Amino acid sequence: MTAQNGWSRRNLLVAMAAGGLLAAGRSGRGLADAGPDGIADEELARKLGLDIPPERLAEARRFLARHPAIDVHSHPGRFFMSGVDLWDPSMQMFAAQDGAPQISVADMQAGGLGAACFAVVADMKSLVLTETGLHALRPLAPGESWDDCRRQMAEFRRVLASEPIRLALTARDVIDNHQRGQLSGILTAEGGDFLDGRLDRLPQVWSEGMRSITIVHYRVNEIGDIQTETPVHGGLSAFGADLVREMNALGFIIDLAHASYDVVKQAAAITTRPLLLSHSHLQHEPAAHTRLISVEQARLIAGTGGTIGAWPAGLTQRNLGDFVDETMRLIDAVGIDHVSVGSDMDANYRPVFDNYRQLPLVVAMLGMRGLDEDALAKVIGGNFLRVFAAAQVEAES
Ligand SMILES: [Zn+2]
Ligand SMILES: [Zn+2]
């Protein structure tokens, strides 16, 4: 595949260094292959070189049975790739990735996950990898992102039809499904590019189950500026400001991952609902990166009553312990009510949390840092449920 479509090994190495979306090596596969379902948490911790007392792991299991753990940003099995026309030149970069996408529900269940946000990728047809990461170098024709999102949303529906995952349209759905021992899937979009500057597309995707939109991604779209390109809108565009109001009115969660500081500041001033920033962590020396956020940016999200998904990316992190460090750093900066977990599972850059079977380890390690049950429950799912519910309160009026 690589040779046929002209993507060299070097291109793939660049992809691995690009910073998100493309770089997932599906290293979780090796983990899943290492033993049968129900691989012991202790054995997994040992393999990862983590010193976690067995009683902490057992307590984490009991915790996950009591509280729905929610991944606030993910692309399970890279489902956005399913059904791609591999001969389409704009898809060849993605086609060069390893293997066929496959959602590992077994890993989700074995790890005690309650819900995952399944994000379609709206600008994927425009993205090209360069030495400096992902950039939107191919123009998108009007309707091109919309058509591609239709394909990806159809794939999500196929997942719901074929896997034991139930669509969650409300926070209540997530809680009810968890109590029945069922996994929830929440439909989201990474990039508002599919709107093509049209607010009238929002009610349609709402009616099809979409509940959150990361309004910008790697392409500078009609909505606002992004972290990884030079600003052109001065923050939100006029359309972007209207979009925030309309998403509030309809009940969508507004997700500002990838957005520039000015976009976050302006959206925070407009929104009447708590904001989400689904996957990032704090800038700090010596490992600065454009995809990370300042304490001020994090506090803008917290100031709306919102939450920030701690992101287990290899930009600054080498292992699960580093991820727990970054999560605690966020909690210290913005408070326990404003941090969640956004794994970017199966499309993250050098993920350090790369298989849902590691979830009990994350819970145990956060507990070892001093989070009690109430605090843990907020970070693992409660804060997102609060934002999810608040987005829809009287949303129809
Ligand atoms: Zn992202
Ligand atoms: Zn993503």
Side-chain angles (χ1 to χ4, degrees):
M1 183 62 72
T2 300
Q4 281 174 3
N5 64 28
W7 281 86
S8 66
R9 177 162 178 74
R10 171 159 177 74
N11 286 114
L12 287 175
L13 290 174
V14 171
M16 294 305 287
L21 186 61
L22 299 174
R26 289 286 292 163
S27 48
R29 270 187 198 145
L31 220 170
D33 293 341
D37 289 354
I39 184 172
D41 295 338
E42 292 172 51
E43 185 188 334
L44 181 52
R46 216 169 15 251
K47 257 184 202 157
L48 295 173
L50 302 169
D51 189 14
I52 308 174
E55 61 272 19
R56 286 285 189 178
L57 292 167
E59 177 51 35
R61 284 288 172 183
R62 290 192 293 272
F63 171 90
L64 288 167
R66 288 192 292 268
H67 304 279
I70 304 170
D71 188 346
V72 308
H73 181 76
S74 64
H75 312 272
R78 294 206 302 286
F79 76 99
F80 57 77
M81 272 293 297
S82 301
V84 158
D85 174 4
L86 299 182
W87 295 103
D88 179 341
S90 68
M91 290 298 186
Q92 289 186 353
M93 181 172 65
F94 294 85
Q97 296 293 300
D98 61 327
Q102 193 175 10
I103 294 175
S104 182
V105 174
D107 290 343
M108 291 174 164
Q109 290 172 328
L113 186 72
C117 290
F118 283 66
V120 302
V121 182
D123 57 351
M124 107 183 217
K125 295 194 83 168
S126 75
L127 299 182
V128 174
L129 283 161
T130 74
E131 298 286 348
T132 59
L134 274 173
H135 299 277
L137 297 182
R138 292 193 184 95
L140 287 179
E144 195 176 2
S145 170
W146 174 249
D147 290 344
D148 195 46
C149 283
R150 311 297 310 156
R151 172 188 63 77
Q152 296 178 54
M153 288 168 70
E155 289 305 322
F156 176 67
R157 283 192 291 275
R158 190 190 56 73
V159 168
L160 292 179
S162 61
E163 304 281 358
I165 299 174
R166 294 175 73 96
L167 179 66
L169 298 174
T170 64
R172 188 75 241 169
D173 288 346
V174 174
I175 294 165
D176 289 347
N177 289 341
H178 181 254
Q179 283 172 353
R180 293 188 206 105
Q182 288 170 323
L183 273 165
S184 293
I186 302 164
L187 177 61
T188 68
E190 188 160 25
D193 307 72
F194 66 90
L195 297 171
D196 285 309
R198 291 171 48 176
L199 294 177
D200 64 346
R201 284 186 174 157
L202 282 175
Q204 180 169 345
V205 294
W206 174 273
S207 72
E208 292 169 323
M210 191 180 286
R211 289 296 179 264
S212 176
I213 301 171
T214 315
I215 60 175
V216 295
H217 191 216
Y218 278 107
R219 171 177 171 266
V220 181
N221 61 20
E222 302 78 11
I223 297 164
D225 292 325
I226 62 177
Q227 290 176 305
T228 46
E229 301 289 355
T230 307
V232 300
H233 294 297
L236 280 173
S237 67
F239 172 72
D242 287 343
L243 177 64
V244 168
R245 293 183 194 98
E246 192 64 12
M247 286 176 73
N248 279 166
L250 290 169
F252 283 95
I253 300 168
I254 298 161
D255 178 6
L256 297 181
H258 292 273
S260 72
Y261 176 83
D262 286 341
V263 166
V264 174
K265 189 173 181 187
Q266 292 165 19
I270 296 168
T271 188
T272 58
R273 312 285 166 161
L275 295 172
L276 172 67
L277 195 157
S278 65
H279 54 298
S280 189
H281 62 80
L282 294 177
Q283 298 275 10
H284 57 84
E285 293 304 325
H289 189 278
T290 51
R291 272 288 289 114
L292 304 181
I293 58 175
S294 64
V295 171
E296 294 71 30
Q297 199 162 341
R299 286 183 179 152
L300 285 168
I301 299 293
T304 67
T307 192
I308 299 151
W311 186 42
L315 299 174
T316 64
Q317 303 167 31
R318 292 151 300 143
N319 55 46
L320 216 52
D322 289 346
F323 173 55
V324 172
D325 286 346
E326 294 295 357
T327 307
M328 293 306 298
R329 202 187 297 267
L330 264 174
I331 292 169
D332 290 344
V334 297
I336 195 69
D337 293 314
H338 306 290
V339 179
S340 300
V341 172
S343 77
D344 220 351
M345 192 70 77
D346 295 336
N348 197 358
Y349 168 68
R350 287 190 195 160
V352 299
F353 171 30
D354 61 9
N355 187 303
Y356 285 116
R357 289 170 192 257
Q358 297 159 355
L359 180 60
L361 280 58
V362 173
V363 170
M365 291 166 83
L366 286 169
M368 289 165 69
R369 300 298 174 91
L371 299 193
D372 63 15
E373 173 144 7
D374 282 354
L376 258 178
K378 289 177 176 182
V379 173
I380 292 300
N383 289 336
F384 178 80
L385 286 177
R386 183 191 71 236
V387 170
F388 196 2
Q392 294 183 35
V393 170
E394 297 172 9
E396 305 301 331
S397 64

